[in-house]
Amino acid sequence: MDGHRVLIAGISGSGKTTLARRLGSRLGIPHHELDALHHGPNWRKRPEFDADVEAFSAGSSWVTEDQYHSALGDLLWERADTLVWLDLPRRTVMRQVLRRSFVRAATGRELWNGNRESFRDWTGPDHPIRWAWSQYDRKRDQTAARVLHHRHLTVIRLTSPEAATRWSRSPVLAGRREKGIYATYSD
């Protein structure tokens, strides 16, 4: 489907990548996982990251996660036509990020370019568990402020994993959307 440029916002562990993957499949548009584009070997930023994001976001259809704002600025916000905000309660986010990190560390599964998560990483200040806890309010406030600044976006605010699943399966996704609609879906 042509003409969907979807940005998924939320704190680490809120389910951005899972929802982006699901939407890409549902809408038949490419999902560009920012973590996969960003992380080179040894968790270092890939030199091609900025150019890769510039290239895909210039296209007419894509879905990606709202991350790396310090590197990308408002580029994705300006180019998106739809923002899906996973505004989940802190307890839900923490449950999800703990489960995800535990599975990743226990299995030793490769994430991107040879990088793996381990239990010893959990003590680092930038580990997703600690990040999700310490940055929850800040990320929420920043997203709300960006929504007000980027009035061209159709904004969908989802307040539970169940609402996200229901919305992502909804027939409304296939139709055209009016810009500026702000809808909240919750349980």
Side-chain angles (χ1 to χ4, degrees):
M1 176 170 285
D2 216 27
H4 287 282
R5 294 177 312 281
V6 183
L7 187 60
I8 312 289
I11 191 70
S12 296
S14 61
K16 295 183 302 291
T17 302
T18 299
L19 183 58
R21 192 178 299 119
R22 187 182 308 145
L23 283 180
S25 176
R26 175 84 195 281
L27 296 172
I29 61 175
H31 165 229
H32 300 275
E33 184 178 357
L34 287 190
D35 279 334
L37 294 174
H38 184 269
H39 294 298
N42 299 313
W43 300 102
R44 297 196 197 287
K45 180 182 175 184
R46 291 176 55 252
E48 308 85 3
F49 174 67
D50 294 5
D52 288 348
V53 175
E54 171 70 35
F56 87 70
S57 67
S60 65
S61 294
W62 47 264
V63 59
T64 196
E65 305 85 8
D66 175 35
Q67 301 184 105
Y68 305 108
H69 196 267
S70 61
L72 301 171
D74 278 354
L75 176 72
L76 295 172
W77 283 77
E78 291 164 357
R79 292 185 174 176
D81 59 39
T82 302
L83 176 78
V84 180
W85 180 8
L86 291 170
D87 188 18
L88 309 183
R90 186 190 299 248
R91 69 182 175 280
T92 302
V93 168
M94 295 311 299
R95 183 177 64 243
Q96 290 180 175
V97 76
L98 279 164
R99 181 176 42 231
R100 180 186 78 184
S101 290
F102 180 83
V103 169
R104 286 178 174 179
T107 63
R109 176 176 65 93
E110 181 178 337
L111 300 173
W112 313 279
N113 298 305
N115 297 307
R116 299 177 191 319
E117 193 172 323
S118 71
F119 289 112
R120 72 177 173 274
D121 298 330
W122 287 27
T123 59
D126 291 337
H127 187 274
I129 294 171
R130 294 183 69 170
W131 182 262
W133 181 261
S134 68
Q135 300 300 311
Y136 178 87
D137 291 327
R138 184 175 151 269
K139 176 69 173 175
R140 195 166 190 252
D141 292 346
Q142 287 174 340
T143 301
R146 287 185 185 119
V147 164
L148 293 175
H149 182 72
H150 296 280
R151 296 194 178 269
H152 69 282
L153 292 168
T154 298
V155 179
I156 308 297
R157 182 173 162 256
L158 304 168
T159 61
S160 73
E162 298 78 19
T165 298
R166 239 186 358 268
W167 176 81
S168 71
R169 293 179 178 160
S170 166
V172 74
L173 278 178
R176 297 299 297 166
R177 298 167 316 276
E178 294 181 43
K179 299 212 182 295
I181 302 288
Y182 192 100
T184 299
Y185 297 83
S186 58
D187 283 339

